[in-house]
Amino acid sequence: MEYKKRISIRLDERIAMLLNELSKITRTSTSIIIRGMVNRSIEELIDKSGNWKIPNEKDKEGKG
């Protein structure tokens, strides 16, 4: 069985309200909505080979 790590995040009132509204509209738990959004955001930041599209600090040091 796959290990699932639980983390806590803080949300401001507006984001919490919007998530609750979306949860009611879609009849889905906020946890599922947040996991989907995080997954989609991360997938947009990596290329097809699994490398990050954004430069990291190590890359910046060699160019300075």
Side-chain angles (χ1 to χ4, degrees):
M1 180 156 71
E2 182 180 331
Y3 173 75
K4 295 186 179 162
K5 183 173 181 169
R6 180 181 294 253
I7 61 170
S8 298
I9 60 169
R10 293 183 187 164
L11 304 171
D12 63 24
E13 289 182 31
R14 179 177 182 275
I15 298 298
M17 179 192 67
L18 291 170
L19 282 169
N20 284 331
E21 285 182 14
L22 186 57
S23 175
K24 288 177 185 175
I25 291 168
T26 60
R27 296 181 181 163
T28 307
S29 72
T30 54
S31 179
I32 291 172
I33 293 169
I34 291 169
R35 284 196 309 263
M37 289 178 167
V38 169
N39 186 46
R40 182 176 179 177
S41 297
I42 289 175
E43 290 298 323
E44 289 176 1
L45 293 172
I46 57 176
D47 61 18
K48 290 180 181 179
S49 61
N51 297 315
W52 292 102
K53 293 179 183 176
I54 55 177
N56 60 34
E57 291 300 314
K58 190 165 63 171
D59 292 340
K60 290 179 185 176
E61 289 174 7
K63 295 180 182 178

